[in-house]
Amino acid sequence: MQWRAKLRSWILSIPMAMLVVGHGLAEDSGKRLALVVGITNYVVAGTLPNASRDAEAFGTFLKGQGFETDLVLNADRRGLASALSNFSRKIGPEDVALFYYAGHGMQLRGENFLIGTDAKLESEFDVPAETIALSEIINALEKRARISMVFLDACRNNPLAERLTREVEGATRGGATRGLAPIETQGGGTLVAFAAAPGQVAADGTDGHSPFTRALIANLSGAGLEVGTAFKRVVRDVRKETQGKQQPQILSSLSLEFYFGPETVTPQTPAAQTVQPALAVLATDPEALEAEKDFKKALKIGTARIWHFFVEKHRTGEYADLGRQALAQIEPAAVRNEFHLPQSVEAQLLPDKGRRRDVQLALAAKGFAAGTADGVFGGQTRDAIKLFQSNNNQPANGFITERTAEALGVKVNNRAEGIYSSPKARRYDVANLEGLETDQTVLRALTCLRHFETVYGMFNGHLYVAVRTGTILAVYARGIAGGCGAHLAAISTQEENAFVASLFNADPSFFETGYDPSGNVSYKMGPWIGLIQDPQGKEPKGGWRWDSGAPMTYTKWFQGMPNENKKGDDIGMYFAARNGRADTKSLYVDTWDDMGSRDGTGGLILEFE
């Protein structure tokens, strides 16, 4: 068949591929490393005839793209763990690390697991001991590699998961279910590709290989195709082969572009053309080109917020479908389907007739006939909004968005609240947010903080940014705040404190930890906040205030604090502790302590108004 001929040509062309100009076999000084796993022969779960063949074919393909590839076939749980351990030790900070798995996978209560040959899974309590958690694999790669990629052809029909589905109490509410569960990447250099959408079962294939692996080999190495763009072709081919029953999905936060094949299209001799499949003619439609450009940006950011903006801006076409698939991976269906529809967004921005009348009056003032200014959006108002949006180069859907309201000069309701970023600190390139992110405060803050890794979100109309700095003194934390036109966070309610704490507790790098023998406590010091004590204040409790000038209406001191442990402990940070020598990894920090000018901690919380 044609695909097999292509595979043979790739095998024969491996030495030649090493010489291709612009191939980029090792980005910067790093290596391309891959662990490829295929499991066909299961003791209890039967056989997957094509899984091992898929792994062998994909391993051969990767060698042709310059990867140093380890191939592991039919490994039990112990063998799989050993292979992963050996692979992780090879990875350096400048390397590209790729993990491919073909075999059985399953989800249990929202977490994904890969299954070795010896798994029996007689009850849910056997899952941790007889499987490998996907999250552990992704975390191991993210910690070590500059770019991490995971390809999972692991959603195949799994009798072990089906049995657990029947036996686990409450299975319909998050027990063992078919397919794999949605995930969210944490790092800034990670891509995860699934053979099928969450909950779908992927085909093992009837022609020696699965549709997913066949499409990966056929499409990833095209000249000039960045991996995110190439994956669009993978989705197209799999949907076509399975008649729409299977839809691969990609989840990415790659801040760098990655190319399996040459980064640029170069003229080729007839002989070379047999090595590198010809590219289709590039799209020339301006809307398609803009969608592709925004899609690459959204992949690099990889947050639910940015994907929402992307699908709002690009509502039709292949890239729109991929954007919706990305949302399906990282956001529950109820949130995705109910709260971000255009009419729902508009209702949040314009909660009453008064604000809707303002829109109608603003349209009329700009020459767009919106009908009577009665606060009711009928057909005439919708048509006027569409025309205005079209004239201002916005998606013309007829519903008010933040961009449309800003262009009209209409003040809308407080911005949507919650964590906007990834839950773990990352460095964000503002160039990838432009054209998608609508909040100018976010763009301004991240431009100023471009050299730092951050977690950010909105509460009560204020933008809060947890900035990871490494050990920093309070005086320098205030310098960063002043330089960005912000102040260290001032907290006035229990709800505000809970939100701010949620920004940094998911990321252990925000904390300084240790053991204090004088007090026999294991401590966990969190970011600086804008809490200071006047020198005239009665020690140690009195005289505390927010350096922003906000009134002191709420406190959340750790037990026994403030205690003026040493003279000059007049500055506040997040802090918690446990008695004795204790593990503080699971200790959630939402309380405060008084510290001094010579104390350092791992970050700070900025507040932008």
Side-chain angles (χ1 to χ4, degrees):
M1 294 184 67
Q2 184 180 12
W3 177 79
R4 287 175 176 162
K6 283 184 180 181
L7 178 58
R8 285 195 297 270
S9 74
W10 275 311
I11 295 172
L12 294 173
S13 69
I14 289 173
M16 186 180 298
M18 300 296 182
L19 302 177
V20 175
V21 176
H23 199 293
L25 294 182
E27 286 70 14
D28 293 340
S29 60
K31 303 185 294 294
R32 292 184 170 196
L33 304 173
L35 174 61
V36 177
V37 177
I39 300 182
T40 288
N41 301 316
Y42 287 88
V43 173
V44 173
T47 61
L48 288 173
N50 292 332
S52 293
R53 288 194 286 265
D54 286 335
E56 291 173 326
F58 197 67
T60 300
F61 164 76
L62 289 176
K63 289 178 181 178
Q65 309 310 312
F67 278 83
E68 179 185 320
T69 304
D70 297 333
L71 178 65
V72 176
L73 301 177
N74 293 317
D76 58 15
R77 198 271 183 195
R78 183 175 181 180
L80 183 55
S82 177
L84 287 163
S85 178
N86 293 335
F87 179 62
S88 66
R89 284 196 291 268
K90 294 168 58 176
I91 301 170
E94 294 301 316
D95 294 341
V96 175
L98 185 151
F99 174 73
Y100 168 93
Y101 177 87
H104 278 316
M106 62 173 286
Q107 60 166 300
L108 179 65
R109 306 195 192 285
E111 185 167 2
N112 297 312
F113 300 90
L114 306 184
I115 302 173
T117 58
D118 57 339
K120 297 180 180 179
L121 301 181
E122 295 179 349
S123 78
E124 62 179 300
F125 303 107
D126 296 325
V127 171
E130 297 185 7
T131 66
I132 301 288
L134 176 60
S135 60
E136 294 179 4
I137 298 173
I138 294 174
N139 288 339
L141 268 60
E142 286 183 331
K143 288 178 182 177
R144 293 169 173 84
R146 188 167 62 94
I147 292 178
S148 305
M149 291 182 285
V150 177
F151 291 86
L152 297 167
D153 205 345
C155 311
R156 310 181 194 207
N157 195 33
N158 182 358
L160 296 176
E162 291 178 356
R163 183 175 66 193
L164 285 182
T165 299
R166 295 191 297 269
E167 294 181 0
V168 173
E169 182 179 359
T172 57
R173 291 174 292 168
T177 56
R178 51 192 277 145
L180 296 180
I183 67 168
E184 181 171 356
T185 60
Q186 305 293 340
T190 306
L191 177 147
V192 182
F194 293 86
Q200 281 187 348
V201 171
D204 188 55
T206 58
D207 186 32
H209 294 280
S210 76
F212 181 61
T213 296
R214 184 178 7 256
L216 290 175
I217 293 173
N219 292 287
L220 285 185
S221 64
L225 283 182
E226 199 271 335
V227 62
T229 303
F231 199 79
K232 183 185 75 167
R233 301 185 178 196
V234 174
V235 174
R236 176 197 61 198
D237 286 0
V238 173
R239 290 177 63 181
K240 182 178 179 181
E241 183 172 343
T242 63
Q243 298 179 326
K245 296 178 181 177
Q246 180 180 332
Q247 184 155 293
Q249 303 217 328
I250 187 172
L251 180 64
S252 175
S253 58
L254 282 179
S255 57
L256 301 170
E257 291 193 347
F258 180 81
Y259 297 79
F260 278 88
E263 294 185 22
T264 59
V265 181
T266 56
Q268 297 180 346
T269 64
Q273 288 174 1
T274 63
V275 175
Q276 185 66 47
L279 279 177
V281 177
L282 294 176
T284 57
D285 174 38
E287 290 187 6
L289 290 173
E290 185 179 13
E292 181 174 339
K293 181 180 177 181
D294 286 343
F295 179 77
K296 290 179 179 179
K297 291 180 177 181
L299 274 177
K300 291 175 183 178
I301 300 300
T303 61
R305 176 177 173 84
I306 292 303
W307 281 119
H308 277 300
F309 288 143
F310 175 84
V311 298
E312 178 187 322
K313 184 175 180 180
H314 304 287
R315 306 192 67 81
T316 59
E318 288 182 312
Y319 285 113
D321 290 341
L322 288 174
R324 283 186 281 271
Q325 291 165 25
L327 274 177
Q329 281 290 346
I330 61 179
E331 189 172 69
V335 174
R336 184 173 66 253
N337 293 334
E338 294 177 13
F339 297 110
H340 291 281
L341 292 172
Q343 53 267 41
S344 298
V345 172
E346 183 183 79
Q348 294 171 31
L349 298 173
L350 307 171
D352 53 59
K353 283 190 174 183
R355 300 199 189 204
R356 291 175 174 250
R357 279 195 299 271
D358 291 342
V359 168
Q360 292 170 321
L361 291 170
L363 286 167
K366 292 182 179 292
F368 296 88
T372 305
D374 56 3
V376 178
F377 286 4
Q380 190 171 355
T381 300
R382 293 294 178 199
D383 289 342
I385 294 172
K386 287 181 184 178
L387 184 58
F388 176 81
Q389 289 171 327
S390 179
N391 287 357
N392 284 270
N393 298 315
Q394 296 181 19
N397 62 3
F399 291 93
I400 295 297
T401 66
E402 287 188 56
R403 291 174 63 198
T404 305
E406 183 180 2
L408 283 170
V410 174
K411 185 177 180 180
V412 295
N413 198 29
N414 283 342
R415 292 163 283 195
E417 298 189 344
I419 295 180
Y420 288 179
S421 65
S422 170
K424 288 193 176 180
R426 284 174 42 199
R427 190 175 300 178
Y428 292 92
D429 185 345
V430 175
N432 293 323
L433 289 161
E434 291 173 344
L436 293 171
E437 174 60 62
T438 62
D439 195 315
Q440 295 301 311
T441 303
V442 171
L443 297 175
R444 186 172 67 253
L446 294 184
T447 298
C448 182
L449 297 166
R450 59 190 176 277
H451 301 303
F452 296 101
E453 296 180 332
T454 61
V455 179
Y456 59 93
M458 190 71 65
F459 180 84
N460 199 26
H462 289 194
L463 177 70
Y464 294 84
V465 185
V467 186
R468 187 170 72 181
T469 58
T471 305
I472 188 173
L473 302 179
V475 62
Y476 297 116
R478 288 201 176 89
I480 292 172
C484 290
H487 55 81
L488 294 179
I491 299 169
S492 58
T493 66
Q494 178 180 345
E495 293 76 17
E496 184 178 11
N497 188 60
F499 174 76
V500 171
S502 74
L503 290 174
F504 59 84
N505 267 281
D507 191 335
S509 65
F510 277 108
F511 298 98
E512 300 280 340
T513 61
Y515 172 71
D516 179 7
S518 64
N520 189 30
V521 295
S522 297
Y523 61 83
K524 193 170 183 179
M525 298 161 57
W528 292 110
I529 51 178
L531 191 60
I532 60 175
Q533 186 179 37
D534 289 326
Q536 296 81 12
K538 186 177 180 181
E539 299 291 355
K541 302 292 184 182
W544 287 94
R545 62 182 176 83
W546 298 110
D547 62 5
S548 67
M552 193 81 178
T553 59
Y554 168 83
T555 62
K556 188 68 180 291
W557 294 105
F558 186 69
Q559 58 191 27
M561 304 301 178
N563 65 353
E564 188 72 9
N565 183 54
K566 59 183 182 295
K567 186 174 178 58
D569 279 3
D570 299 329
I571 314 167
M573 68 164 61
Y574 277 95
F575 175 92
R578 285 177 172 160
N579 292 328
R581 292 187 178 272
D583 184 0
T584 60
K585 288 181 180 178
S586 62
L587 181 60
Y588 194 88
V589 179
D590 63 354
T591 49
W592 314 335
D593 189 12
D594 56 326
M595 293 291 178
S597 60
R598 295 186 179 182
D599 291 310
T601 191
L604 54 130
I605 307 294
L606 294 183
E607 182 175 350
F608 293 81
E609 301 190 16

